[in-house]
Amino acid sequence: TVNLVEVGLDNDKALEAPKDWKAGGWYKYGSRPGEDGNVIINAHYDDNFGRPAAFWELKNLKVDDKVFIEDRYGKLYTYSVTETFL
């Protein structure tokens, strides 16, 4: 489980990363779960010492695996992995 915080763009127009290693960032100008478009979520893979962070287990996802997003009202949205990249 990864808690999400809103992120935007930094001064260089790059996507901000969550400051907490264990949190995920939801791009606040992108689509919300359940809306058309792309829901953009980012997070750190590891910390400055190579220890696991929020997206550490992302490497284990396979095509057809399910990813769930629960909104602040408790509604659950299900997404399917359609492809992976190494």
Side-chain angles (χ1 to χ4, degrees):
T1 299
V2 175
N3 290 322
L4 300 180
V5 296
E6 286 187 352
V7 295
L9 300 176
D10 65 17
N11 292 333
D12 295 324
K13 306 290 185 209
L15 186 62
E16 293 175 326
K19 293 179 182 13
D20 180 350
W21 296 108
K22 298 293 184 184
W26 166 71
Y27 180 56
K28 62 184 173 182
Y29 301 113
S31 297
R32 295 181 181 277
E35 293 180 345
D36 288 338
N38 295 312
V39 175
I40 301 171
I41 297 173
N42 68 342
H44 296 280
Y45 176 75
D46 58 6
D47 69 11
N48 289 342
F49 300 101
R51 295 176 297 211
F55 270 6
W56 182 261
E57 296 295 330
L58 196 65
K59 66 187 178 298
N60 298 324
L61 286 176
K62 296 178 181 61
V63 172
D64 294 327
D65 281 351
K66 304 294 184 220
V67 177
F68 305 96
I69 298 176
E70 183 177 353
D71 69 15
R72 69 181 87 187
Y73 305 107
K75 183 167 182 175
L76 198 62
Y77 298 87
T78 304
Y79 294 86
S80 296
V81 176
T82 59
E83 58 186 315
T84 61
F85 301 91
L86 297 177

